Amino acid sequence: MYKILEASCVGLNIKQFVIEAPRIARKHKPGQFIILRLHNKGERIPLTIKSSDADAGTVTIVVQAIGKTTSLLNCLEAGDSILDIVGPLGHPSEIEKYGTVVVLAGSVGTAMALPTAIALKQAGNHVIFIEGARSTEMVVFEDEVRSASNETYMMTDDGSYGEQGLVTKKLDELIAAGRKIDFILAVGPVPMMRAVARITGPLGIKTMVSLNSIMVDGTGMCGGCRVLLGDKSKFACVDGPEFDASQVNFEVLMQRNTMYREKECASLKQFQQNMDAEVAELRKELAAQETQLCLK
Amino acid sequence: MPEINTLPRSAMNVLPLKERMKILRRHMPELDPKVRSRNFEEVNLGLETDDALTEASRCIECAKPGCVVDCPVGVDIKQMVALIRAGDYLGAAAKLREDNSLPAITGRVCPQENQCEGGCIVGKKGSPVAIGNLERFVADYERLSGQLGLPPNAPSTGKSVAIVGSGPAGLSAAGDLIQKGHRVRVFEALHELGGVLIYGIPEFRLPKSIVKGEVDNLRRMGVEFETNVVVGKSVTIDELMHDEHYDAVFVATGAGLPVFLGVPGEHLNGVYSANEFLTRINLMRAYKTEEYDEPVYDCRDRNVIVVGGGNTAMDAVRTARRLGARTATLVYRRSDAEMPARAEEVKHAREEGVEFSMLTGPVAFLGDEKGWLTGVRCVRMELSEPDESGRRRPVEIKGSEFVLPADVAIIGVGTTANPLIQSTTPDLATNKWNYIVADEKTMRTSKAGVFAGGDIVTGGATVILAMGAGRKAAASIHEYLTTGEWEKAANS
């Protein structure tokens, strides 16, 4: 059982949780993720770690409600608990002094890109952070993004905040302006990462992307998260989650991510119809679990 | 003289040898294949008491029992059978527990035909004594009686052992070490305890409640468990020893990453590793679609192909059948005779309507324009001379390509070593396949205080071999903790 110490809404359907998880907090490095499970009949889902505090024994995760599990999770508040959390998983980001670095993050991807951006800046890079969101209510962590970067650009699809356009529009502008870019990190929806790769590949700019394939155990045991890099199969959980964008087959990633779409939609719909009951049921189960743990 | 099928209890001990040899092996009662191929209930129902008594009376009490020699953990089977014959089932269970801390599990999943029953002299002329079924009988009898003969623990030694992995190797080592008076804490990467016994072996072969029962017994004996810890990630071996002050560590992380075939189309939707398919079903209970959130491909009325010939492949294909597959076909590149799966699993699979396509090798997975699997292109194989493993090597027959229609394909052809511990423990020696190098007798690794056993040392093997490794490691760890001498542990 992992206690939620703080829970706050940071954007439309996006919530930030500070959770007691001392082991994970001690070991977390930028770029790593956790897998959690909410209740005894719940699924295991991977989520990125935004930050950690080894002394306080806490990790901070950011969750966008998309499917049933993330929607249910976002109904939880400080004082509630999460049944299972395991991590930190995956390889940390490789932090080097590259020179000028561009970090592109799409909405909730900002949470995952932030710790790496901070580390890159601390390593002496000039960090350009381009945050994109659909519209103003999905722009997150602007202050933190600004302090993690030397130059900051906020982009919205509808122009309701910052500049209108996709993050790749700003990247194109920087390249057209003759800016020398030594390294790029892109974290966000697959089409966004693919678009970045298509721009930077021909220019030979080293570009890393953080892949969000479907996972079960997160330790390499099941192979469900396999991604195609060139003609080689890699497991996102143990070989990634960051990979060289020029090698990634984004079409296969998108196709594999649709594997359970039908079931996901059905469970979300069912959840939305019984939301209050489902949340009450979850709290009841967690309370019972707590009692059992106390007895032991 | 008519063959004797059942015997009154009073006749048990006085039966002459010749008469014993005439008794037919008692059949394990099973669920009707038509019923069980549509549910996940346990296939084998267990022997009734009368049948167990009759079966025990078939033992001819050899002076040099081959069954004991061929048991990887050396259970005193002769004594156990004698106690059953005397009607002392709890005594038989206690005898069993002296050498095997998980009897209800091994009684269900051991390949007895190659082990104890393979060494049974009665089997030379007819069917061997059904030792596995008897083992299960006494273990179940003990459990249902509620009179568990848990052995007492020695006084505390003040030493502590971290065990990495709660599968068969880790659990058996934990059981032995706690009895010796050491503090024992087992770390498990998943949220549920039992390792492969939970995520790998299906409910219909080994009910989860049995595994849970054995874990609870260890808990009662004082073993501590911590789930959600991936050693190598959440904490390293060095941190366990230096920061958390464990005097010894036993690495029993089990089988590793699934092997794929390396043929085109393996990224199509509908292609699974057996590990993933079975984990979704067994650990995450995805077959209970209404209740559980974890999804799995809806196999109802679909064509499912499973590639491989071992127990994992057999578990996957029988699971697919239970999920309502129209056809569930096992594709294996050698013939029946070379299949490593247990004979009983093959028999059960055939009864349940699993189809076998032997001497068949997949060469490509075929899909539609949206990336969903539609079929598997295969070639026919023939067997040539035996290779270094002693099995006859399959060779492609030119021009024999054909396509098997398939909506789901599950690949169960083996695993490679999981790298998480090795890559974060620099002074832990590994072999060229990245398995941990451990001494065969002492399970000692290249790193002082660290022992390893089970699949992470041997590569994919069986539950009982992992348990045997766990027991050997426990004995060796105990010696190390008692003497404090690493080198002595090496030479014992």
Side-chain angles (χ1 to χ4, degrees), chain A residues 235-250:
Chain A
F235 293 174
C237 68
V238 289
D239 300 319
E242 285 179 19
F243 293 100
D244 180 345
S246 67
Q247 297 293 308
V248 174
N249 187 323
F250 291 101

Side-chain angles (χ1 to χ4, degrees), chain B residues 227-247:
Chain B
T227 52
N228 298 323
V229 181
V230 182
V231 174
K233 285 283 172 193
S234 315
V235 65
T236 63
I237 300 278
D238 283 312
E239 287 163 344
L240 284 175
M241 298 180 87
H242 300 137
D243 302 347
E244 302 190 25
H245 311 292
Y246 287 97
D247 301 291

